[in-house]
Amino acid sequence: MKSASDATMMLRTPFHSRVAAACELNAWGTWKGYTTPTAYTDVELEYFAIRSTAGVFDLSPMNKYRITGPDAEAYLNRLVTRDVSKIRAGRVGYTVWCNDAGQVMDDGTIFHLGENDYRVCAFARATDWLHWSALGFDVEVVDESDEVAALAVQGPTSCAALLAMGLVGLEQLKPFGLTMFPFEGGTLMVSRTGFTGDLGYELWIAADKAELLWDRLFEAGRPHLIKPFGSDALDMARIEAGFLQAGVDFVPAESAVRSGRSRSPYELGLGWLVDMDKPVFNGRKALLREQARGSRYRFAMLDVDGNKPASHSFILSGGKKVGTVTSAAWCPTAKTNVAFAQLEMPHGDVGQELVAEIYYQRELQWTRVMAPCRVIGAPVFNPPRRRAVPPGAF
Amino acid sequence: MTDKLDVILIGAGHNGLVCANYLAKAGRKVLVLEAGDSPGGAAASREFAPGYSVSSCAQWLYQLHSGVSRDLDLERHGLQWAARELPSLLLDTRGRHLSLLGSRIDGEGVSDGDREAWRAFHARTGKYVKLLARVFESRPPNLVEAGLVDRLNLLKMGLGLKLLGRDDMSELMRIILTNMYDLAEEYFDNPQLKSLLGFDSVLGSRMGPRTPNTVFTYLYRRLGEAYGYNGVAQVKGGMGALAQALAASARARGVELRLGARVTSIDMFNGRAGGVSLASGEQFRAAVVVSGADPVTTYGTLVGLRNMETGMARRVSQIRCAGAAAKLHLALNAAPRFTGLDESQLGQRLVIAPDLNYLERAFNAVKYDEYSAAPALDISVPTINDPGGAPAGCHVLSAIVQFAPYEPAGGWEGPSTAAGATHREHFTRLILDKIAEYAPGIRDQVVACQLLTPQDIERDYGMRGGHWHHAEMSLDQVLMMRPFPGATQYGSGLDGLYLCGAGAHPGGGVMGLAGRNAAREIIRRGARA
Ligand SMILES: Cc1cc2nc3c(=O)[nH]c(=O)nc-3n(C[C@H](O)[C@H](O)[C@H](O)COP(=O)(O)OP(=O)(O)OC[C@H]3O[C@@H](n4cnc5c(N)ncnc54)[C@H](O)[C@@H]3O)c2cc1C
């Protein structure tokens, strides 16, 4: 509970008391108005928890919207680019949604909870857009962001830790599946989803049971070397796994102020999420036009020589600037220096050789490196355990 | 007989009929589907009491585009005039009326100063009317993706502005966004003249004379002057006879017209409009679908908001289309006697709106979904010039009444503040009381009476909200923003679907330009049909 003497204006997630106690570095960042840790103890150690044991991330600030009613599926199908009828009950689907101009407003996940019952999990606040989109549909749209708390449990021992917590049968849950468990008189929803590219789960719980969930999880997870991680470690993991971050790798269309700064799904390498067989969905007309005329940009994953992250670098081809880097990290497990870039068309074919103009600073001295790099066709980290059912014992 | 259609056109309103006519002339095979039993939409004549018929919505013709009349050869197809060049009379309870016809102004209380001011004002605003008329004769420019035609149109608009001359141009810029109340106060002393101008600026709109935007609507009202009208005209047999002439002309061109054919949906095929379904269950396919129905009906009911993208659905849901004009029809057993009017004047346009504040107060009510306690009226006694509408010796009085809400609290049949009377009865009584102030014996002459509220007009003529113009003529809903940004130049923003009614550029009134311009645009885009 917030009291008048609270020193911060920032919102606190339902796990805050536990997060604050574990956050030894006292390193806080802001996320959509919430105060959340960038790191708890040590970024590298947290990263290695994700990849070698199990890491826990508080993702409560994500926006969660409940969509119910007889037109729920039709509504979502008009809202997002992919075919929602293919997301069966008990399944989760990753998707993007666009405005009428075919520009990506956000990416997120759709949880098909039951008949005519869905939850949309989004990075950006979307209440107004979701309500406007409900015109003409028999649906109810409810913002559940404050009522639902969520933890990601990611890494090879995540399943074992959760089994130890008593989630019987969890090992049978397939990737992108979801299931319910009774929890302290309420319901705990578990989905096999995540943002790290590893074996992992996300736990969804009523906000008033959040602290209890944290305590149970860490108690059961101790033998499985469970450890909380902050946004810095998450960033390394998601770049290694090839995941775009809204607000970093693209500007959500409705918050872009300057014209031409937003991107279409094709320009973000997310064309596979667009189902043109659907007769109507937001952005369809504009995307058909883009298909005919060609895109302006192309998303590319780059393998950059050396170990200096190519953060904010210009990308050159033949000495000419053809793009910029939106995310970059040295990826310890894959031992690759990865960068995500926005390249002007027609650049970005897999295998194309480019140069990253990297600036970095050591003790106030700036250095420029012209690092050769090449476009790669797939994320550098994609282990079989991510998909295995049941996941092996670690 | 209806296989191989090029165009399905929904709604045989006058604009729909005009559009169909031009399309057929260009060789398209056109099927017009009209929900009602007669063509014409709000250009209609109906019997409202045994032996009495009336132009049941629009009553005066004053802006039907001359090119359209000529191209469609309406007089050959039966259009006859009952009267032309009728002045507007602003009535006075003591009989001191003000008469206005073009630049001519007459009346006891008109000073030389006002006469001179009116002449100058009329001449100057006449230039603005001509400029607007030119703009309205072509599609509105698309500012976002301006093609050659658009640039030329913009150029024409700009050139038109330039040709006005410096003083006239800066005056136009100064006044165009303002309100008629202030402008009239600035130019004139005579309260009757000011009030008549104020009345013409708000007629058909949900606006009072102090509402910004009313200088524009005033100029719009006067458009007909650019198409050869001076004052108003009355069609023999009422507006329904004009509709019959339009229908005859269309049929002669090969248009197939089906009455009693209500379209229930515009059918989309892979994101493109390609046909319609009827209430009867019948279905038709064509490469192009044109709608002459109002935009809220077209998008909201026929296409369905769920079948368009969110941004568009949102725009559609925000179109302002609540009407504010009602219609009162009286069957009279004798000619009404208005204080100070002779028989010849009785056939002219009679306006009750004593002064600007009266008008503004009348408007206040409708802001709160109430009807005016003292309404403003545009009255015609059509049987003076055209006796056929009533039994021998009898007459019809028809009045456009402002202001009436779409629906008062509790509904039109709900109880009003007058003991034992419904809102409908109460409002009818208020209107009759008002007319009786000017024509004292009228109550004893009434043998039957009909009040059409905006809600009734919506039901009977299929215009959502019962709005005169299908969508308010406010500055955010005209030109390239009509009916909303993204749906302009008669394209609806949905492939294969075009708009040709009052809800498209330039707007409502029996004018025919929306229909003609839409046909031109469809023909210009060619190929697919
Ligand atoms: C009270 C009142 C008084 C007026 N007085 C005047 C006046 O004196 N002078 C003047 O010039 N203008 C006047 N107007 C304005 C004028 O009547 C209209 O602007 C004009 O008639 C509109 O013509 P339209 O062809 O665009 O549309 P409409 O006449 O509305 O035609 C649309 C047609 O579509 C049909 N339709 C709708 N839905 C369907 C469907 N689902 N299936 C099939 N058909 C469908 C309707 O039945 C209708 O026939 C007045 C309006 C009102 C309301």
Side-chain angles (χ1 to χ4, degrees), chain B residues 465-486:
Chain B
H467 198 288
W468 179 300
H469 295 282
H470 284 189
E472 190 60 89
M473 292 293 287
S474 49
L475 292 169
D476 61 327
Q477 296 190 157
V478 296
L479 290 168
M480 38 271 175
M481 279 132 13
R482 191 162 187 84
F484 56 84

Side-chain angles (χ1 to χ4, degrees), chain A residues 71 74 78-79 99-100 129 132-133 135-137 276 279-285 289, chain B residues 145 268-272 305-314 317-318 493-495:
Chain A
D71 285 343
R78 200 278 298 262
L79 183 75
N99 60 13
D100 288 25
W129 185 254
W132 292 330
S133 299
L135 289 165
F137 290 94
M276 282 297 179
V280 192
F281 62 86
N282 289 334
R284 182 177 191 269
K285 268 190 75 163
R289 223 175 303 133
Chain B
E145 294 174 31
M268 310 291 288
F269 299 91
N270 197 23
R272 201 187 148 84
L305 295 182
R306 53 196 291 162
N307 293 318
M308 63 196 70
E309 301 185 15
T310 294
M312 181 181 283
R314 193 176 152 226
S317 72
Q318 284 161 348
L494 296 166
D495 291 336

Side-chain angles (χ1 to χ4, degrees), chain B residues 30-242:
Chain B
V30 186
L31 171 66
V32 177
L33 299 167
E34 165 58 45
D37 298 328
S38 53
S45 302
R46 288 197 187 175
E47 192 176 65
F48 69 98
Y52 292 86
S53 68
V54 68
S55 293
S56 42
C57 250
Q59 55 185 13
W60 302 115
L61 199 64
Y62 53 87
Q63 48 185 204
L64 180 64
H65 188 257
S66 38
V68 171
S69 311
R70 203 177 334 104
D71 291 346
L72 272 56
D73 219 349
L74 293 181
E75 298 196 2
R76 193 166 68 78
H77 287 103
L79 174 64
Q80 286 180 282
W81 304 96
R84 303 178 84 161
E85 307 223 352
L86 295 170
S88 297
L89 295 186
L90 192 94
L91 300 185
D92 173 73
T93 47
R94 294 151 306 170
R96 294 188 203 134
H97 313 303
L98 176 103
S99 166
L100 204 65
L101 180 66
S103 62
R104 244 191 90 175
I105 178 167
D106 290 303
E108 275 179 42
V110 182
S111 69
D112 287 347
D114 275 326
R115 211 178 295 279
E116 194 38 55
W118 170 248
R119 239 196 309 275
F121 180 85
H122 185 265
R124 175 171 258 177
T125 45
K127 295 186 199 169
Y128 304 156
V129 166
K130 285 212 182 69
L131 173 65
L132 269 188
R134 262 207 305 280
V135 171
F136 289 175
E137 282 179 6
S138 42
R139 68 177 203 192
N142 183 337
L143 297 181
V144 184
E145 294 174 31
L148 185 63
V149 181
D150 294 327
R151 290 206 197 123
L152 285 175
N153 283 341
L154 265 181
L155 201 71
K156 261 199 293 193
M157 230 193 271
L159 207 67
L161 271 173
K162 265 236 144 34
L163 288 177
L164 279 177
R166 203 171 129 193
D167 289 352
D168 286 339
M169 182 175 80
S170 62
E171 178 66 359
L172 176 61
M173 291 310 179
R174 184 180 75 89
I175 69 173
I176 190 71
L177 301 180
T178 60
N179 66 81
M180 206 55 198
Y181 190 107
D182 289 340
L183 192 66
E185 287 290 351
E186 183 184 318
Y187 271 82
F188 309 109
D189 291 326
N190 186 300
Q192 288 182 300
L193 174 58
K194 290 189 275 194
S195 195
L196 185 51
L197 300 182
F199 184 72
D200 278 349
S201 77
V202 300
L203 188 59
S205 292
R206 199 184 168 93
M207 297 180 193
R210 279 195 175 100
T211 308
N213 201 129
T214 42
V215 172
F216 175 81
T217 45
Y218 168 75
L219 295 175
Y220 187 87
R221 164 90 198 176
R222 278 183 50 192
L223 269 185
E225 289 172 23
Y227 308 141
Y229 287 81
N230 189 25
V232 298
Q234 188 187 327
V235 174
K236 190 157 186 294
M239 283 293 185
L242 169 68

Side-chain angles (χ1 to χ4, degrees), chain A residues 93-241:
Chain A
Y94 172 67
T95 188
V96 292
W97 48 98
C98 295
N99 60 13
D100 288 25
Q103 301 297 291
V104 176
M105 296 179 64
D106 204 352
D107 65 344
T109 39
I110 295 177
F111 293 73
H112 191 169
L113 304 177
E115 197 183 333
N116 300 327
D117 189 1
Y118 294 84
R119 179 179 290 150
V120 172
C121 199
F123 167 80
R125 286 233 177 266
T127 318
D128 48 359
W129 185 254
L130 295 184
H131 279 279
W132 292 330
S133 299
L135 289 165
F137 290 94
D138 186 0
V139 289
E140 202 187 350
V141 178
V142 176
D143 184 346
E144 302 187 317
S145 303
D146 292 341
E147 283 80 59
V148 180
L151 289 179
V153 187
Q154 305 278 306
T157 66
S158 56
C159 184
L162 291 166
L163 286 171
M165 205 180 89
L167 305 186
V168 178
L170 184 68
E171 73 284 356
Q172 295 306 327
L173 190 64
K174 295 184 183 132
F176 288 101
L178 68 85
T179 181
M180 311 283 175
F181 295 94
F183 185 83
E184 296 295 327
T187 302
L188 170 67
M189 183 173 96
V190 181
S191 55
R192 190 164 161 185
T193 48
F195 202 48
T196 62
D198 216 309
L199 171 66
Y201 301 85
E202 287 169 332
L203 314 185
W204 310 83
I205 190 81
D208 61 356
K209 300 204 160 50
E211 289 169 334
L212 207 55
L213 175 66
W214 179 287
D215 295 343
R216 291 280 161 76
L217 175 64
F218 279 86
E219 202 181 298
R222 197 171 303 122
H224 304 280
L225 303 180
I226 203 163
K227 194 173 170 51
F229 65 94
S231 52
D232 287 353
L234 178 68
D235 209 41
M236 291 168 70
R238 65 107 190 160
I239 292 170
E240 195 168 39

Side-chain angles (χ1 to χ4, degrees), chain A residues 10 29-36 57-62 123:
Chain A
M10 303 305 294
T30 67
W31 177 12
K32 292 279 150 190
Y34 285 85
T35 186
T36 53
F57 182 77
D58 177 6
L59 52 99
S60 303
M62 290 291 286
F123 167 80

